[in-house]
Amino acid sequence: LQKEYKILSSAGIPRELFNNADIKNYFTGREFLLGLHFTECMQIHPAIFAALLAATFNLQVYENTPYVSLEESADGLVISTNNAKIKSSKVLFATNLRPIFGMEQFFQEESGVITASKPLPLDKIKSIWSREKLLWTVEEEYDIIYPAENRLILELFKLKNIKEKISHYYNNNFIIDLQWGDSWTKTKDWLPIIGKVKENIYVAIAMGDQGIVMGCTAARKMPMLIGDKSDGFLNLTSPRRFYESEE
């Protein structure tokens, strides 16, 4: 945390080191020895962001129509969904999971789960969260702890040991009511894969971290990619890097 404090300082981001007593001004569920506090943290709501992009660029978004299969023919490509077939000369798969077109060995799969407690009286929430904040632990498989309206929230990498984690952070105040989960893939070098994987098939396979930033950067490169052009960023993220390293 002290190293991170210096890095934030060099970047000009306001920050404070919190001791045990300082942290209790925000969260009383359990004790922490040290904390790093800063408020410069951007959050993006993915659904609203995607909807505004679609409206701005007049794009049609089809919900509840998952990709089922892909057929290649002399006339082009045919993608099947649950209720339609789409013909195209070129296809771009933008995804954070599958299909990966035979590159599975270069990925590792990760997951996450958000658990919400049953609704609690506001005074009970206030006794645990004196001031609403988001606490982020520093382990590699970090935990995220925060309140949301009248519920306590615990966000974890895995469901394993979730009862122990709930007791660890919230003692007996947390009774599980709702859970959401998701899975994603991440390349071993933590960079996305952006490039051609087959004739007329292109991919922009995101990674678990920095997904929105990398997704926006990749999207700006799509016209160049589909036009079979390249630059430094596309060379860096090309699937060729894996096969060239093996050779």
Side-chain angles (χ1 to χ4, degrees):
L1 289 181
Q2 290 171 335
K3 289 180 180 178
E4 188 73 15
Y5 178 88
K6 291 179 181 178
I7 293 171
L8 290 172
S9 177
S10 66
I13 295 176
R15 71 282 166 220
E16 297 176 85
L17 274 176
F18 277 1
N19 60 29
N20 180 279
D22 295 326
I23 298 170
K24 286 182 179 178
N25 291 327
Y26 294 87
F27 178 71
T28 63
R30 64 148 297 184
E31 290 191 351
F32 292 94
L33 296 177
L34 189 70
L36 177 62
H37 174 257
F38 55 96
T39 58
E40 302 294 327
C41 182
M42 292 191 300
Q43 296 289 321
I44 294 178
H45 192 299
I48 295 175
F49 180 57
L52 185 57
L53 283 178
T56 300
F57 295 101
N58 195 28
L59 303 174
Q60 183 65 51
V61 177
Y62 295 93
E63 297 183 274
N64 302 313
T65 54
Y67 156 83
V68 174
S69 64
L70 172 69
E71 299 174 25
E72 299 176 72
S73 68
D75 298 329
L77 304 159
V78 178
I79 295 178
S80 295
T81 71
N82 285 337
N83 52 24
K85 289 185 179 291
I86 305 165
K87 293 183 178 180
S88 179
S89 60
K90 294 185 178 182
V91 170
L92 168 69
F93 284 92
T95 175
N96 71 341
L97 195 57
R98 292 183 176 85
I100 304 178
F101 297 98
M103 295 184 287
E104 286 81 2
Q105 69 268 33
F106 306 122
F107 283 82
Q108 58 191 28
E109 188 167 317
E110 295 183 348
S111 62
V113 61
I114 299 175
T115 301
S117 74
K118 288 186 176 181
L120 292 169
L122 185 59
D123 59 346
K124 187 65 177 178
I125 296 286
K126 286 289 186 183
S127 70
I128 300 171
W129 289 96
S130 306
R131 297 167 63 185
E132 185 170 324
K133 275 291 176 183
L134 186 148
L135 301 187
W136 194 307
T137 65
V138 296
E139 296 89 355
E140 183 176 353
E141 295 185 352
Y142 49 80
D143 303 329
I144 307 177
I145 318 148
Y146 51 96
E149 297 178 351
N150 60 340
R151 298 178 189 267
L152 304 174
I153 305 295
L154 178 58
E155 192 168 336
L156 304 172
F157 258 86
K158 299 174 183 175
L159 269 172
K160 184 179 180 181
N161 300 327
I162 189 166
K163 290 183 178 179
E164 291 84 350
K165 290 268 182 131
I166 286 173
S167 176
H168 179 66
Y169 292 116
Y170 287 117
N171 202 357
N172 296 317
N173 298 300
F174 193 118
I175 299 175
I176 296 175
D177 187 29
L178 301 169
Q179 285 185 339
W180 302 267
D182 192 15
S183 296
W184 59 89
T185 51
K186 184 162 66 177
T187 55
K188 293 178 181 179
D189 63 4
W190 286 37
L191 288 171
I193 293 180
I194 303 170
K196 180 186 284 190
V197 290
K198 300 180 75 173
E199 191 63 32
N200 299 322
I201 299 179
Y202 304 81
V203 297
I205 305 175
M207 58 189 202
D209 299 290
Q210 323 301 332
I212 292 176
V213 174
M214 277 294 187
C216 291
T217 305
R220 293 172 58 194
K221 301 291 183 178
M222 290 303 102
M224 182 182 295
L225 176 67
I226 294 174
D228 291 321
K229 298 178 182 178
S230 191
D231 65 1
F233 180 78
L234 291 175
N235 287 333
L236 180 70
T237 57
S238 169
R240 294 193 308 269
R241 69 187 190 269
F242 299 114
Y243 305 106
E244 289 170 356
S245 66
E246 285 186 338
E247 294 172 0

